[in-house]
Amino acid sequence: MINKIARSVADALAGIPDGATVLIGGFGTAGIPNELIDGLVEQGAKDLTVVNNNAGNGETGLAALLKAGRVRKIICSFPRQADSQVFDGLYRSGKIELELVPQGNLAERIRAAGAGIGAFFCPTGYGTQLAGNCETREIDGKQYVLEYPIHGDVALIKAERGDRWGNLVYRKAARNFGPVMAMAAKKTIATVHDIAELGTLDPETIVTPGIFVHQVVRIERVATQAGGFKKAA
């Protein structure tokens, strides 16, 4: 019987090695798998390469992982915000490496990994420092930069509901990078608020099929920084 429901966050994260590339979902404060990130801090893996849209907010979640000194390199689109002081301090002191990637390129590079695409040409970044020494090519009179896929050893994502086969549905903007990251990683771990009985999820609403998911962990609903779910009165 296929049952991907993990007993705990710790069980789901067991075995993530030092030096792993970890894809972490989330956009701003939407869809961040904070429970999995906190669990990764406790788990102890170090020298990680983290792929995320941002570089952490405040002192929690991804910022806490950075502060714990577990991340060697971060690949992201928006490393600096008003509350990204943890990353800023590490980067200025030379304690973390940054690969800055335009947001559309980041999403497409992750998607390409899951789709089995070896590389692709994209116009974004041509003629800027972001293109660096990358190969370029003129196609139909327009200049493009060669981009390579971003593969993950593990993906940590947040969904709304899931079943024991690992099928997932998301809640609005919390979906963001979750689906493409799930496809691009060797192992995908997802948190959900509700465990659905097998067969009760409408197949037309399933965004991430269970074939791309290895572990599912149920978590409680909590109020988020941006409002999110309201606490019970």
Side-chain angles (χ1 to χ4, degrees), residues 120-141:
F120 62 93
F121 283 97
C122 180
T124 307
Y126 176 80
T128 73
Q129 292 182 358
L130 291 179
N133 296 318
C134 295
E135 178 183 342
T136 61
R137 182 177 298 181
E138 181 178 330
I139 303 173
D140 291 334

Side-chain angles (χ1 to χ4, degrees), residues 54 56-59 78-88 225:
N54 302 73
N57 301 86
E59 303 275 334
F78 295 94
R80 295 194 65 192
Q81 302 166 98
D83 60 351
S84 59
Q85 65 270 10
V86 173
F87 167 80
D88 194 67
Q225 179 180 336

Side-chain angles (χ1 to χ4, degrees), residues 194-205:
D194 297 313
I195 301 291
E197 289 295 325
L198 195 63
T200 61
L201 292 178
D202 181 354
E204 296 295 330
T205 68

Side-chain angles (χ1 to χ4, degrees), residues 8-154:
S8 66
V9 167
D11 284 351
L13 296 172
I16 295 178
D18 294 346
T21 295
V22 183
L23 314 180
I24 300 179
F27 184 102
T29 57
I32 299 176
N34 282 315
E35 291 80 3
L36 295 178
I37 300 172
D38 292 344
L40 188 57
V41 174
E42 294 296 322
Q43 191 260 9
K46 59 183 183 296
D47 295 325
L48 302 172
T49 295
V50 166
V51 182
N52 184 257
N53 186 65
N54 302 73
N57 301 86
E59 303 275 334
T60 62
L62 179 53
L65 185 65
L66 298 181
K67 190 173 182 178
R70 303 290 171 73
V71 181
R72 177 186 64 81
K73 176 181 179 180
I74 188 163
I75 302 173
C76 71
S77 298
F78 295 94
R80 295 194 65 192
Q81 302 166 98
D83 60 351
S84 59
Q85 65 270 10
V86 173
F87 167 80
D88 194 67
L90 292 171
Y91 184 73
R92 289 178 182 275
S93 61
K95 295 180 180 179
I96 193 170
E97 181 182 347
L98 169 66
E99 181 179 340
L100 190 63
V101 182
Q103 189 177 69
N105 291 28
L106 181 68
E108 185 63 8
R109 288 177 66 186
I110 298 169
R111 192 198 71 82
I117 296 172
F120 62 93
F121 283 97
C122 180
T124 307
Y126 176 80
T128 73
Q129 292 182 358
L130 291 179
N133 296 318
C134 295
E135 178 183 342
T136 61
R137 182 177 298 181
E138 181 178 330
I139 303 173
D140 291 334
K142 190 171 184 178
Q143 297 293 338
Y144 291 79
V145 179
L146 184 65
E147 298 280 1
Y148 289 92
I150 299 175
H151 297 270
D153 294 302
V154 63

